[in-house]
Amino acid sequence: MPLVYAVAVLTPVGQRVEDSALGGVRETDLFGSDTALNVISVPVILLLVIVIAAVALARRRLAVGLAAGVVVLASAGTSTLVKRIAVRPEIAQSTTPNSFPSGHATIALASLFAVLMVTPRRFRPLVLLVGAAYAVFVANQTVVYGWHRVSDIVGACAVALFWLGIVRAVGPLVDRGERGDRDGRRGPRRLVTAVLVVSTGVTAAVGVAAVVVAFASGAAHDHDALLVAGRMASSTSVLLVVTLVWLADGMHHAAATTDTRGVPTPV
């Protein structure tokens, strides 16, 4: 995140490149509804934390639920704090105020990770697809509405990933095989993995193509193409982080259990 901030926010070139995409924002191009963005609010965040804790308690895994709540609340707090600290110097004649990182994208991703932590493994493929689609949609909406730049989405991904990593490293081990969690079928897991990998590749390819088109237009550049590139870059960032978590964090299958309590000893 510091590197993204340094390049995209603290340099004139970075600011001009990102702000050029905002030139493609037009009222006629906006999504018909901003419901996805309006859903994210303080009351909804608090309600989500309560529901997560309730689900974890029902599954007798309250410690995991509390850890999941930390992911959401700490990510939200960090995003708000960084936005106040990481000022945006006006070094490229920009009229758009500071927006690093995106609070909406941070909450969308952190909420997905938290819900996955308390969801039984056999249901995680469905939850992940729905949650990832929502997070991508939120990232796209913030860019299309001109609220955020690509670096803001990348920063949001970094914040949510940071707190998930902290919690998973020092938090409860219940979900990592020490007390076991019945695994789901391999088919849905493999399907989700394939969808994530293909989606990430496609969005990245479309983004690169849009950049080529934009800069092939000459000095003026094609702001519409740059806006598409910004949207695809934001989507790729979200999908890449979700894919990383899905595969590297062990959320896609259960590890071998080390808890042998209750297992008959062979005679």
Side-chain angles (χ1 to χ4, degrees):
M1 185 171 69
L3 179 60
V4 173
Y5 174 74
V7 173
V9 180
L10 298 183
T11 66
V13 174
Q15 286 195 10
R16 282 195 294 268
V17 169
E18 288 207 301
D19 287 347
S20 63
L22 298 181
V25 175
R26 296 191 301 262
E27 289 293 331
T28 56
D29 293 335
L30 300 184
F31 289 112
S33 172
D34 58 356
T35 302
L37 298 179
N38 292 334
V39 164
I40 300 176
S41 61
V42 173
V44 171
I45 294 172
L46 295 178
L47 178 61
L48 175 65
V49 172
I50 293 173
V51 170
I52 287 173
V55 172
L57 180 61
R59 299 186 64 214
R60 299 181 181 179
R61 298 184 177 185
L62 182 59
V64 176
L66 294 176
V70 168
V71 172
V72 176
L73 296 178
S75 295
T78 301
S79 180
T80 301
L81 180 62
V82 171
K83 189 172 295 189
R84 294 179 181 276
I85 295 176
V87 296
R88 181 181 179 85
E90 299 304 330
I91 53 180
Q93 291 76 50
S94 173
T95 59
T96 307
N98 178 50
S99 57
F100 183 91
S102 167
H104 284 80
T106 300
I107 297 303
L109 270 173
S111 299
L112 170 58
F113 297 154
V115 171
L116 283 173
M117 287 177 63
V118 299
T119 300
R121 289 183 184 274
R122 58 190 181 278
F123 299 133
R124 285 183 182 176
L126 177 60
V127 171
L128 182 129
L129 285 180
V130 174
Y134 176 73
V136 168
F137 190 66
V138 166
N140 263 270
Q141 274 201 317
T142 59
V143 173
V144 172
Y145 273 54
W147 290 8
H148 288 289
R149 306 167 179 86
V150 176
S151 62
D152 302 335
I153 306 302
V154 175
C157 292
V159 170
L161 186 60
F162 171 79
W163 281 109
L164 176 65
I166 292 294
V167 166
R168 298 291 279 176
V170 303
L173 304 180
V174 175
D175 195 39
R176 285 183 257 171
E178 281 69 7
R179 258 178 42 198
D181 185 7
R182 193 174 72 185
D183 213 348
R185 294 182 178 182
R186 292 184 179 180
R189 299 201 311 264
R190 290 174 176 174
L191 176 61
V192 168
T193 301
V195 169
L196 287 175
V197 171
V198 171
S199 299
T200 303
V202 170
T203 53
V206 173
V208 171
V211 170
V212 172
V213 170
F215 285 90
S217 302
H221 301 320
D222 187 335
H223 290 294
D224 291 336
L226 284 174
L227 179 59
V228 171
R231 292 175 59 185
M232 293 301 101
S234 299
S235 299
T236 301
S237 301
V238 172
L239 288 170
L240 191 60
V241 169
V242 171
T243 303
L244 175 65
V245 170
W246 176 247
L247 296 177
D249 193 49
M251 287 190 172
H252 60 308
H253 68 83
T257 181
T258 59
D259 189 351
T260 58
R261 290 176 294 178
V263 178
T265 303
V267 178

